[in-house]
Amino acid sequence: MAEYPIWVQLNQEPVACKEKIKILNENYAELRQMMQDSFEDAMIMGVDEQAMRKILKQIVDQLRSPMV
């Protein structure tokens, strides 16, 4: 079983709702697996490892919050 992060709210308190934690953990596991698969595909296709890591980090940096 994967180790999941502690999900923290805006007030820095941990999320307590079990259903929310379940959904967040499922999303985390799916995203982690998708990123791993994409990373491995890139390595098999000859993409430079550091270049792929940079691309994945750029994706995270470009995420937009729905709260703004």
Side-chain angles (χ1 to χ4, degrees):
M1 183 169 147
E3 187 169 327
Y4 297 108
I6 296 173
W7 303 104
V8 181
Q9 301 175 84
L10 290 174
N11 64 4
Q12 299 306 306
E13 293 293 322
V15 173
C17 175
K18 290 183 181 183
E19 188 61 30
K20 288 180 181 180
I21 293 170
K22 178 183 172 190
I23 291 168
L24 290 165
N25 287 346
E26 287 173 357
N27 290 344
Y28 177 86
E30 289 175 23
L31 180 58
R32 184 179 177 137
Q33 187 61 55
M34 185 182 300
M35 290 178 71
Q36 183 64 47
D37 292 345
S38 296
F39 186 77
E40 290 174 9
D41 288 347
M43 298 302 96
I44 290 168
M45 292 181 214
V47 174
D48 177 73
E49 180 176 336
Q50 292 308 313
M52 186 59 182
R53 289 182 186 279
K54 183 178 179 182
I55 291 166
L56 292 172
K57 288 175 185 175
Q58 286 173 345
I59 292 170
V60 172
D61 291 342
Q62 293 171 359
L63 293 175
R64 293 187 204 141
S65 172
M67 305 306 286
V68 287

